Amino acid sequence: MIPAIEKDSLEEIKIFQEKKLVELLEYISQNSPFYKRLFAGQNIDISKVKTLEDLQFLPVTTKEDLQQYNDDFLCVPQQKIIDYASTSGTLGDPVTFGLTDSDLDRLAYNEAISFACAGIAEGDVVQLMTTIDRKFMAGLAYFLGLRKLKVSVIRVGAGIPEMQWDSILKYNPSYLITVPSFLLKLIEYAEAHEIDYNNSSIKGAVCIGESLREQDFSMNILSKKITDKWNIKLFSTYASTEMSTAFTECEHGKGGHHHPELIIVEVLDENNQPVKNGETGELTFTTLGIEAMPLLRFKTGDMVQFHDEPCACGRNTLRVGPVVGRKKQMIKYKGTTLYPPAMNDVLSSFDTIENHLIEISTNDLGTDEILIKIAAKNQTPEFLQEIKDHFRAKLRVTPKIEFASKEVLNPLVFNPMSRKPIRFFDYR
């Protein structure tokens, strides 16, 4: 199930997107209180924007804009809203998104073609191991997309390894949709209860919320830990509530495929200009086909690289590489630029570390200070030194590291009000 446009040439895709861009600008200039005010205040003549290159003459939209003027982004009357979703608030206050009936159809289409990228097809059975409540768009999107693919869905929800295995052994799903680190919990439970997980029905897992790959697309420590024990295929996916669109890997694992019929993407530098091919910049998108809350040049805060060479799967679309880190979470430490994912990766290589969190603060000199708190089975000075040596070898610097108990860290990392583990605390 590859949409025809995703097999078109990059030039044909560009022409299609430019037509859709003109339609979007007309729509938001007429229906969005926020963009009406923005265009008028900056004397922007949208009739002069004809090409993707012309996007550079338009202002960007930020998370702060959404937080401050949330309701002003709505382009439809309230009675047209069928579903309310909200962001997870990873870097600030949550933002509410309304979706119309048409937007839900678009969401289902997006997930259907994204799951098709990962090889899920009619006749498969998929176990959904994420929440579908709490205004969580992704859980609903997964269900709608799988239904559109005519796939059987087992809505187990998050957590509880025993319940997950009971369901796997009873219904024989072929794929799981889950946070990848939870797969380690499933393996641990299976080993403790003599479940032959390598002879289970599971062929693969579509993984959300955590990275599986290094920048060269090789497997990172987390994905190696999983696949060294469990012979299943892992597929990485990148998405957000704001874009109502996903970038999902195909079987070749070379980045998440772009769906050009749904979204225009840019990678921008600090001056909101496109970076050179292959350079890292901030993923910025413009949504296409959204009725209730379309966004123009929305800056995600995620630092990524684009890859535009054709993929062996037959799609000619751009691919988004693994997220390097969040722009606001960048740390300058002893002359080295660091992002939390790199530190998480170092810590993941130690099996005896049971949990961890990273705290960033500003010291008396006005520079960044890092404190990593670790819950580990082995809390000896020798093990602490081993961790520090590993940091120095991998990242060239050694942050301050101290031991803590699981009882202290678990409630902070696994906050019941959050959909994802919270391992980064920024006190700057």
Side-chain angles (χ1 to χ4, degrees):
M1 182 180 174
I2 303 179
I5 187 165
E6 300 186 21
K7 292 182 175 179
D8 285 347
S9 69
L10 291 178
E11 185 56 35
E12 288 171 319
I13 289 171
K14 183 174 185 290
I15 291 167
F16 170 86
Q17 289 207 311
E18 288 172 347
K19 178 176 176 289
K20 292 295 180 184
L21 174 62
V22 170
E23 292 173 6
L24 169 77
L25 290 172
E26 288 176 358
Y27 180 76
I28 60 176
S29 68
Q30 291 171 20
N31 298 291
S32 167
F34 177 83
Y35 286 115
K36 271 186 193 177
R37 190 168 63 241
L38 184 67
F39 294 161
Q42 297 193 21
N43 295 317
I44 291 168
D45 182 359
I46 59 166
S47 67
K48 293 182 178 176
V49 179
K50 302 290 186 188
T51 68
L52 297 187
E53 289 78 13
D54 293 340
L55 280 168
Q56 295 171 46
F57 304 120
L58 295 171
V60 297
T61 306
T62 65
K63 289 180 186 283
E64 290 73 25
D65 292 328
L66 274 177
Q67 287 163 348
Q68 194 172 351
Y69 306 108
N70 199 169
D71 292 346
D72 287 351
F73 282 88
L74 266 179
C75 293
V76 297
Q78 189 172 1
Q79 62 264 31
K80 284 201 73 173
I81 302 299
I82 301 297
D83 183 74
Y84 286 96
S86 75
T87 61
S88 55
T90 308
L91 290 176
D93 295 330
V95 172
T96 295
F97 278 79
L99 290 90
T100 65
D101 206 39
S102 168
D103 292 338
L104 288 173
D105 287 342
R106 178 190 177 280
L107 196 61
Y109 169 80
N110 160 73
E111 290 299 340
I113 60 176
S114 296
F115 288 138
C117 260
I120 298 174
E122 183 175 351
D124 280 319
V125 179
V126 175
Q127 186 149 315
L128 185 52
M129 296 162 60
T130 65
T131 184
I132 201 167
D133 57 1
R134 300 187 190 179
K135 298 185 291 181
F136 187 37
M137 181 186 281
L140 175 64
Y142 302 147
F143 176 77
L144 293 174
L146 292 167
R147 180 172 180 264
K148 189 174 181 66
L149 272 179
K150 299 181 179 174
V151 166
S152 301
V153 186
I154 313 160
R155 293 181 293 107
V156 179
I160 317 176
E162 181 180 2
M163 187 166 65
Q164 302 291 350
W165 273 115
D166 284 349
S167 179
I168 291 168
L169 297 173
K170 182 174 182 178
Y171 300 110
N172 296 313
S174 40
Y175 288 88
L176 307 174
I177 299 174
T178 183
V179 176
S181 56
F182 187 68
L183 294 172
L184 294 174
K185 302 280 187 193
L186 287 187
I187 292 169
E188 189 180 315
Y189 182 90
E191 289 176 342
H193 294 82
E194 298 183 347
I195 296 171
D196 187 1
Y197 52 92
N198 270 311
N199 279 317
S200 71
S201 58
I202 304 301
K203 297 189 300 187
V206 175
C207 296
I208 63 168
E210 295 170 336
S211 180
L212 295 174
R213 300 191 183 278
E214 306 289 357
Q215 289 304 311
D216 63 358
F217 299 121
S218 61
M219 299 179 88
N220 66 12
I221 291 166
L222 174 59
S223 56
K224 280 180 187 170
K225 271 188 169 182
I226 296 164
T227 55
D228 281 352
K229 289 200 165 189
W230 200 352
N231 184 27
I232 58 174
K233 183 84 172 168
L234 303 181
F235 297 90
S236 185
T237 185
Y238 169 84
S240 73
T241 302
E242 293 92 343
M243 68 173 78
S244 289
T245 311
F247 296 81
T248 304
E249 287 183 335
C250 67
E251 68 273 19
H252 300 284
K254 299 292 184 184
H257 278 281
H258 170 220
H259 303 311
E261 64 272 48
L262 299 178
I263 201 164
I264 296 169
V265 286
E266 305 171 82
V267 176
L268 302 181
D269 63 19
E270 290 186 352
N271 299 313
N272 297 328
Q273 297 299 308
V275 300
K276 292 177 182 173
N277 205 19
E279 289 184 355
T280 299
E282 186 172 356
L283 180 64
T284 303
F285 66 80
T286 297
T287 53
L288 301 174
I290 287 181
E291 192 174 32
M293 284 184 68
L295 294 175
L296 176 69
R297 299 198 87 200
F298 183 79
K299 301 187 78 176
T300 62
D302 289 325
M303 307 301 287
V304 302
Q305 293 178 3
F306 275 169
H307 302 267
D308 60 3
E309 63 277 7
C311 184
C313 72
R315 295 173 179 86
N316 292 326
T317 50
L318 290 169
R319 296 183 312 286
V320 176
V323 174
V324 177
R326 287 185 180 268
K327 187 177 181 181
K328 284 192 176 180
Q329 293 179 350
M330 187 183 82
I331 306 152
K332 289 292 285 185
Y333 187 68
K334 297 180 180 178
T336 298
T337 298
L338 296 175
Y339 288 98
M343 291 185 277
N344 291 334
D345 211 30
V346 171
L347 295 165
S348 293
S349 60
F350 294 95
D351 290 331
T352 52
I353 293 179
E354 297 173 297
N355 205 349
H356 74 272
L357 61 79
I358 301 164
E359 293 181 349
I360 309 298
S361 57
T362 304
N363 60 25
D364 295 340
L365 300 174
T367 57
D368 292 342
E369 198 66 56
I370 305 172
L371 171 62
I372 299 177
K373 295 180 179 178
I374 291 170
K377 296 171 185 172
N378 174 11
Q379 297 203 5
T380 63
E382 291 78 15
F383 181 53
L384 189 62
Q385 189 58 49
E386 186 183 346
I387 298 170
K388 289 180 176 181
D389 290 344
H390 198 53
F391 264 96
R392 195 173 293 110
K394 293 292 184 182
L395 301 180
R396 303 194 305 278
V397 290
T398 303
K400 184 180 178 184
I401 303 170
E402 64 181 40
F403 290 121
S405 69
K406 279 197 298 184
E407 289 72 26
V408 170
L409 296 191
N410 284 5
L412 297 169
V413 175
F414 304 111
N415 186 323
M417 298 308 293
S418 175
R419 298 163 187 156
K420 308 169 189 173
I422 303 171
R423 299 194 185 278
F424 184 76
F425 294 80
D426 196 337
Y427 300 117
R428 290 176 290 185

